[in-house]
Amino acid sequence: MKCFPWTFSDKVALIGDACHAIVPFYGHGMNAGFEDITVLEQMMEQYGDDWANLLNDYENSRKPNADAIAELSYRNFMEMSSKTADANFLLQKKIEKWFSDKHPELWIPLYSRVTFSHQPYAEALAIGDRQNEIMQEVLKMENIHQNWNSVAVESKILELLKV
């Protein structure tokens, strides 16, 4: 669910599932709600009793991340329901794991980025989209199913990361 605005005047603010309920395929609905509360609390310290500006900044700062986790959760649902038997999808995940293990400073898989970091969801979504573009190029390489863990594949990913 994506709605906006989340506030009314300086009187009411929606928080958590009330303003961004998501499918439960990342397990981050409650986490996103806790993030709302954390941001709201920080803004209460910053703004004091200036509720109009506080609530305006709260909803505008949280909206991109709430929309991003909704999108990420939906995509994860689609992956789990329709892609887990796809040979190219499974190969992509294998390549990502292999490359990430070799270069953890350059590549954190999207699921790990969302689930095991404090990176904002909108950032994780953007980086994940870029990583997927790179993987789509890698999957086009000749004999990729046989040579997925080769120097040529590693070099290709490193090259594409520079672009």
Side-chain angles (χ1 to χ4, degrees), residues 8 18 25 32 34 36 44 46-47 59 67 77 83 85 102 110 132 139 141 146 152:
F8 175 74
F25 291 94
F34 288 149
D36 290 349
M44 289 169 72
Q46 178 183 347
Y47 286 96
E59 71 182 349
D67 286 353
F77 164 69
K83 292 185 177 181
K102 287 190 86 166
L110 180 59
N132 189 56
L139 289 171
M141 292 176 69
Q146 293 78 32

Side-chain angles (χ1 to χ4, degrees), residues 19-83:
C19 51
H20 52 75
I22 60 176
V23 296
F25 291 94
Y26 253 114
H28 272 252
M30 185 181 297
N31 187 65
F34 288 149
E35 287 185 8
D36 290 349
I37 294 296
T38 300
V39 168
L40 193 55
E41 191 270 332
Q42 290 168 348
M43 290 187 172
M44 289 169 72
E45 288 180 17
Q46 178 183 347
Y47 286 96
D49 291 333
D50 184 1
W51 287 97
N53 285 318
L54 184 158
L55 295 178
N56 181 63
D57 284 359
Y58 154 73
E59 71 182 349
N60 286 312
S61 71
R62 290 295 300 144
K63 178 71 169 151
N65 288 308
D67 286 353
I69 192 58
E71 180 66 22
L72 287 160
S73 295
Y74 178 74
R75 288 182 190 182
N76 198 39
F77 164 69
M78 296 307 292
E79 283 182 7
M80 291 172 56
S81 65
S82 63
K83 292 185 177 181

Side-chain angles (χ1 to χ4, degrees), residues 7 9 15 22 25 47 50 60-62 66 72 101 113 117-118 124 129 140 148 153:
T7 63
S9 182
I15 297 170
I22 60 176
F25 291 94
Y47 286 96
D50 184 1
N60 286 312
S61 71
R62 290 295 300 144
L72 287 160
D101 287 348
R113 192 177 290 282
S117 81
H118 293 286
D129 285 346
K140 292 176 187 174
W148 63 269
V153 171

